[in-house]
Amino acid sequence: MTHVLLDANAIGVDPPLGKIEHRVLLDAHRSDGIVLVVPHLALREAVGSWQRSLTSQYAKLRDTRQKLAKLAPSYKPSLPVLDHAQAAKDLLTELSQALEAANVRMPGTPSADHEDLIDRAIKRRQPFDKNGSGYRDALLWQIAREVADGGSEVLLVSNDPAAFAQDRKGGMPLASSLADEISGEGSVKLVPEIKAAIAELGLVAPEALAAAEAVIERLGDDFGEQLLDRLETELIHPIHTWITKEIINPFLASEASLGVPAKLLSATVEEARMADNGAIEATIHLKVRQPISVYLPTPASEQFKGIGTIQPLDDLIDGVEFDGLVEHRCRVVLDPMTDRLLSAEALEATAASLAA
């Protein structure tokens, strides 16, 4: 199975791991299509770059505030207090926990042969650049090489040709001197960005997203009706942790369930790909207005007066019914030739709130 290894520049800074392309890779990892590898040192470097960008934008905001004060002395715009170092620390923790929860491989700093690193730097051998810089790149290459030596195909996503590309030029393949260092049965292939990795792996066809959106637009309201009809039984879930977090007190709720979907408010295509048979496989983000039932100890149901309908079940338990806005992600298969919805399955419920 292909291991997709991200360099810091592939993780990005606006924000790190925050683009739809990252979601595509994560979905492929969760479905066992690839093994996603995010080295901790690359994640730290990306978050460090994010912190520098944050500091720069904050400084611009401060300068703008000073200019506004000159233009309008009577206006005193407040500037939020922001601990940049703590914000970066919190972000690193949040991303690390999210990746660990998804079972993404996060190798730590490898044990380095410092004599070899010194020799590489002195001789300006890649991954070191012509100035002898590139310590972090050398450690990243050691991680990629260790994975490949274990017999895996590695797709190294890095836009750093000076470190990894043949002749140190953008658009070139992995340097032959680096490829020769792989001693196992695996291999390493260099691509400059995540979109190129997605294309290489065949995860998403460039035209698939637009084609899926076009089919849904042509179906209009019928798409929503067809989709909800197919998902009706799947969207009747047992209790979810997000219900207790977003709607009710988790210490009070004894049980909760979702009713039959009432109305589809929106359907947004998150990602899509063309299947070999010409069908479109797409991930759809739904916002559904639907009834929610919560079963609570009788005294606790008082908090829902005016929000929902309280129906006593016995002397100890009340059932509370109210309208909710629930967000789901689901997988659909569309036929672009006939505009038919071929199949649909619910993947997860992502959020919930009280209906306005």
Side-chain angles (χ1 to χ4, degrees):
M1 186 179 297
T2 301
H3 287 58
V4 181
L5 193 156
L6 303 186
D7 194 356
N9 52 61
I11 293 172
V13 298
D14 56 347
L17 298 174
K19 294 188 175 181
I20 186 65
E21 289 86 354
H22 295 113
R23 170 61 70 86
V24 172
L25 289 183
L26 188 59
D27 282 349
H29 172 83
R30 284 171 170 163
S31 62
D32 296 326
I34 64 170
V35 176
L36 185 57
V37 184
V38 182
H40 192 67
L41 65 90
L43 186 61
R44 287 179 60 189
E45 184 178 351
V47 171
S49 297
W50 174 86
Q51 182 181 351
R52 289 190 292 273
S53 179
L54 178 68
T55 301
S56 174
Q57 294 300 321
Y58 190 85
K60 292 179 182 179
L61 183 60
R62 186 177 58 240
D63 291 343
T64 300
R65 179 178 180 271
Q66 292 173 349
K67 291 177 181 178
L68 283 172
K70 289 181 180 179
L71 291 171
S74 61
Y75 179 59
K76 304 293 184 182
S78 61
L79 189 65
V81 178
L82 181 60
D83 186 334
H84 302 170
Q86 186 60 47
K89 183 179 179 180
D90 292 343
L91 179 61
L92 181 60
T93 299
E94 179 184 344
L95 291 175
S96 298
Q97 291 176 345
L99 292 172
E100 289 171 2
N103 294 318
V104 172
R105 286 191 58 181
M106 296 184 65
T109 304
S111 299
D113 182 340
H114 289 285
E115 289 299 322
D116 177 66
L117 293 180
I118 292 171
D119 185 64
R120 279 179 180 268
I122 291 174
K123 295 180 179 179
R124 305 305 194 251
R125 288 169 47 208
Q126 288 173 288
F128 289 92
D129 63 20
K130 294 180 179 180
N131 298 317
S133 300
Y135 177 72
R136 289 190 301 272
D137 293 324
L139 294 179
L140 185 72
W141 169 245
Q142 185 168 329
I143 293 172
R145 189 177 62 191
E146 289 175 356
V147 175
D149 286 345
S152 299
E153 295 181 358
V154 179
L155 201 58
L156 174 58
V157 188
S158 175
N159 190 21
D160 190 350
F164 302 113
Q166 181 68 32
D167 300 325
R168 303 182 187 273
K169 294 181 180 179
M172 297 292 284
L174 182 73
S176 57
S177 60
L178 294 177
D180 291 341
E181 295 179 11
I182 300 171
S183 58
E185 297 181 357
S187 63
V188 177
K189 184 171 185 177
L190 177 67
V191 293
E193 59 182 2
I194 293 183
K195 288 183 178 179
I198 290 172
E200 177 75 21
L201 296 165
L203 299 179
V204 178
E207 70 278 8
L209 191 64
E213 291 172 342
V215 170
I216 292 173
E217 184 178 355
R218 288 196 297 268
L219 286 171
D221 293 339
D222 289 342
F223 171 74
E225 294 177 3
Q226 290 180 37
L227 186 55
L228 288 182
D229 182 60
R230 286 180 176 269
L231 295 176
E232 183 171 303
T233 54
E234 292 192 45
L235 295 184
I236 303 176
H237 296 291
I239 187 168
H240 287 288
T241 55
W242 50 261
I243 293 181
T244 60
K245 288 180 180 178
E246 302 290 338
I247 295 181
I248 56 180
N249 187 327
F251 299 102
L252 298 176
S254 59
E255 184 179 349
S257 65
L258 301 184
V260 176
K263 182 180 181 183
L264 179 66
L265 301 179
S266 65
T268 306
V269 184
E270 288 190 345
E271 57 96 2
R273 63 180 294 274
M274 290 288 189
D276 293 338
N277 62 2
I280 302 171
E281 299 177 359
T283 302
I284 306 292
H285 180 263
L286 302 179
K287 182 176 286 188
V288 180
R289 183 166 186 159
Q290 61 188 87
I292 298 177
S293 300
V294 182
Y295 303 95
L296 301 168
T298 298
S301 68
E302 293 294 316
Q303 66 178 308
F304 287 94
K305 282 190 174 180
I307 297 176
T309 302
I310 300 176
Q311 298 179 348
L313 300 183
D314 54 38
D315 294 338
L316 300 176
I317 297 293
D318 286 344
V320 183
E321 297 180 355
F322 53 87
D323 283 342
L325 296 178
V326 185
E327 296 180 42
H328 300 274
R329 291 178 67 242
C330 66
R331 195 73 175 168
V332 303
V333 178
L334 299 164
D335 184 346
M337 299 299 292
T338 63
D339 285 351
R340 291 178 57 205
L341 180 60
L342 302 179
S343 67
E345 62 172 326
L347 298 179
E348 61 179 340
T350 59
S353 61
L354 294 175

